Amino acid sequence: MSVAIRRAVLLAFIAICVVVSPGRIRARAENPPPWLEAYRAPAARLIGEATGDAFAWRRLSVLTDTIGHRLSGSPHLARAIKWAAEEMKRDGLENVHTEKVMVPRWVRGNESAEIIEPARQPIVMLGLGGSVATPPAGVQADVLIVHGFEELDAHPAQVRGRVVLFNVPFTSYGETVRFRSDGASRAARHGAVAMLIRSVGLNGLRLPHTGVLQYSDDAPKIPAAAVTTEDADRLERMVGRGDRVVVALKMEAHFEADAESANVVGEIRGREKPDEIVVVSGHLDSWDVGAGATDDGGGCVVSWEALRILKKLNLRPRRTIRLVLWTNEENGGRGGLAYRDRHRSELGRHVMMMESDSGVFRPLGFGFSGSDRARQTVAAIASLLTGIGADQIVLNGEGADIAPSAQEGHIPTMSLEVDDSKYFLIHHTEADTIDKIDPENFNRHVAALAVVLYVVADLPERL
Ligand SMILES: [Zn+2]
């Protein structure tokens, strides 16, 4: 290709896109690439089918009402895996099977927290995933409140023998979650006896948010729990008034032996290049509170539904679309690692991997990680989704479970881009139930996924 032609092609690619904001592009209706034309009719059919009834939402309601939350190693998750594989077969998906993964089994047990002084008051809490137990009689100590690691490390002598509360208001998940992950070991290094954290989430209705912690090897393991924002602020006010504040914490949390679990896989085999694979996925495991509806039963079911309607409309793309429902995203990531290891020899034939784990509120489009050329292709495909408001392509289409395979195989990745203004109200709480999910938005996710998957899997050239 000559330089002039190459430049003309490049300009044509640029012409189909306008910059909405840095890293955010939206395909424009004029000057679409010629190949897009063939996909308008199937896209319209898929959108019509996806938004035509509430089958997917009803399926999610069965999962969340009947099976409920699904922590790794729990009988609930085992039941969900069995149910999903049976239902996928009933849908007519191909090559439906489970792929064995050994997962950690953390059991919460009974737990409670209480203010003892200046007056006895209960604290609303949830132990952090992976925490150790307190001694059977519990831990009781004065509270030390800090607002960051610098403040903690600045006064090591005051930490010894205390229950440390990290009272750090939520900014972004990435910014605030490090106190949940690392706070226990950071405090234990200075002699703290337990760690409490202001829940990593938005101010809600006195809901604690659980989530995983990481102990480091160079510090004693101390019990750790999340308290509600309301309780964190109450403790802060009491200390601020000069009260001596003593809290008691009791937790039975512990690990049992690793348990057998599985990723659930189903496919639509490609009609011309069945060995080339487009993966779409969500994680079937959840925390042991709420019903794991938004995180991530919703992501599983919208991904799954995309295959079901492709099958129903008899749209079989050139390449294989593989649905993977991951195990153990929340507290180990072993499902994603096991997939990478088991499928190592075919990672080079993975055209794209997608994970839906950002909630299923109003869809805006997709995140994408890959080459600029592939990004322009994806943006052109997304222009088919303007009618449902899901046509934005933003930077970084990542997912915890697809990351190990994508990194090793240098595979482009995508994620759903969602209005997440409510996500961290319910994330990892008792309130993660299906009533928070609007069936129309849910269907728009299905439509967006089905169109993008079909076109990416069917394009004459791989992405
Ligand atoms: Zn998740």
Side-chain angles (χ1 to χ4, degrees):
M1 207 187 282
S2 76
V3 172
I5 293 173
R6 204 177 295 157
R7 186 173 301 147
V9 170
L10 182 65
L11 287 174
F13 272 127
I14 292 168
I16 64 168
C17 298
V18 293
V19 173
V20 176
S21 68
R24 188 172 285 264
I25 56 178
R26 175 178 283 158
R28 212 164 49 181
E30 57 263 37
N31 304 324
W35 52 260
L36 193 64
E37 217 39 51
Y39 294 115
R40 291 194 191 282
R45 286 179 70 204
L46 287 166
I47 293 169
E49 182 66 30
T51 56
D53 81 352
F55 182 93
W57 194 94
R58 289 196 301 274
R59 172 165 272 169
L60 179 62
S61 75
V62 171
L63 173 67
T64 58
D65 294 343
T66 310
I67 297 174
H69 56 65
R70 304 168 300 279
L71 186 61
S72 283
S74 67
H76 294 79
L77 179 59
R79 206 173 310 143
I81 289 166
K82 185 164 178 286
W83 168 81
E86 283 166 4
E87 290 283 301
M88 281 184 202
K89 283 181 189 155
R90 209 193 311 259
D91 290 345
L93 299 195
E94 297 146 27
N95 192 21
V96 174
H97 64 280
T98 57
E99 298 182 352
K100 179 180 158 183
V101 183
M102 295 304 290
V103 296
R105 172 152 167 68
W106 178 78
V107 177
R108 176 179 301 283
N110 292 313
E111 56 183 18
S112 64
E114 194 182 9
I115 301 172
I116 303 296
E117 287 190 39
R120 287 184 91 113
Q121 298 275 352
I123 296 174
V124 183
M125 58 79 84
L126 271 177
L128 295 184
S131 177
V132 296
T134 61
V139 164
Q140 185 169 318
D142 289 57
V143 171
L144 174 73
I145 300 181
V146 297
H147 308 88
F149 291 137
E150 302 71 25
E151 191 182 343
L152 176 84
D153 294 338
H155 310 287
Q158 293 176 26
V159 179
R160 180 155 302 280
R162 301 286 194 94
V163 172
V164 169
L165 166 64
F166 285 91
N167 190 17
V168 185
F170 182 84
T171 46
S172 69
Y173 192 62
E175 184 61 30
T176 322
V177 78
R178 59 205 174 102
F179 300 105
R180 189 191 78 203
S181 310
D182 305 339
S185 288
R186 295 284 294 248
R189 237 172 253 155
H190 300 309
V193 294
M195 186 279 264
L196 299 176
I197 182 174
R198 179 192 183 97
S199 283
V200 180
L202 299 167
N203 292 4
L205 294 172
R206 209 178 176 192
L207 275 173
H209 299 235
T210 190
V212 76
L213 62 66
Q214 299 292 338
Y215 288 124
S216 13
D217 293 334
D218 64 349
K221 291 182 178 176
I222 59 171
V227 302
T228 65
T229 59
E230 289 90 338
D231 286 285
D233 287 340
R234 179 167 61 155
L235 289 163
E236 178 98 43
R237 286 193 301 274
M238 294 168 112
V239 169
R241 283 194 291 265
D243 293 338
R244 178 179 176 216
V245 181
V246 176
V247 300
L249 181 68
K250 270 191 192 178
M251 293 172 63
E252 295 177 346
H254 62 282
F255 280 98
E256 297 183 357
D258 282 6
E260 185 172 333
S261 187
N263 295 327
V264 188
V265 178
E267 294 179 339
I268 292 178
R269 300 292 293 170
R271 68 171 196 276
E272 273 180 26
K273 299 177 175 177
D275 293 341
E276 291 189 7
I277 297 151
V278 174
V279 166
V280 62
S281 64
H283 67 86
L284 197 52
D285 70 304
S286 75
W287 280 106
D288 58 339
V289 292
T294 289
D295 187 12
D296 183 32
C300 289
V301 173
V302 291
S303 301
W304 176 357
E305 182 72 355
L307 274 80
R308 191 187 72 87
I309 65 171
L310 281 164
K311 187 83 191 170
K312 187 175 172 199
L313 298 182
N314 205 18
L315 287 168
R316 183 179 295 276
R318 247 177 264 269
R319 301 176 187 80
T320 293
I321 300 177
R322 178 178 292 167
L323 170 68
V324 185
L325 305 185
W326 309 103
T327 188
N328 193 222
E329 189 274 345
E330 294 291 4
N331 61 339
R334 301 230 194 128
L337 292 169
Y339 184 91
R340 177 199 63 191
D341 295 345
R342 186 184 178 115
H343 295 274
R344 186 163 268 137
S345 67
E346 63 173 8
L347 291 180
R349 296 192 299 276
H350 279 56
V351 171
M352 188 271 281
M353 294 184 84
M354 166 131 58
E355 181 160 4
S356 304
D357 187 20
S358 309
V360 282
F361 297 105
R362 188 167 60 86
L364 304 174
F366 294 89
F368 179 79
S369 298
S371 70
D372 287 346
R373 194 184 67 87
R375 167 180 299 276
Q376 303 300 351
T377 302
V378 168
I381 298 169
S383 73
L384 300 169
L385 302 170
T386 304
I388 55 168
D391 58 351
Q392 292 183 27
I393 299 296
V394 303
L395 293 174
N396 299 327
E398 280 145 15
D401 301 293
I402 58 178
S405 297
Q407 279 161 15
E408 185 160 319
H410 306 290
I411 303 162
T413 53
M414 293 182 76
S415 57
L416 279 172
E417 177 71 6
V418 183
D419 168 11
D420 66 356
S421 53
K422 301 259 169 59
Y423 185 69
F424 288 104
L425 267 176
I426 61 171
H427 182 247
H428 297 181
T429 72
E430 289 287 3
D432 185 0
T433 49
I434 192 170
D435 43 277
K436 314 300 185 303
I437 298 173
D438 171 52
E440 288 185 10
N441 281 333
F442 200 61
N443 283 346
R444 287 188 195 107
H445 280 283
V446 174
L449 280 168
V451 169
V452 168
L453 288 171
Y454 177 69
V455 180
V456 169
D458 194 69
L459 282 171
E461 304 288 326
R462 65 181 278 180
L463 201 60

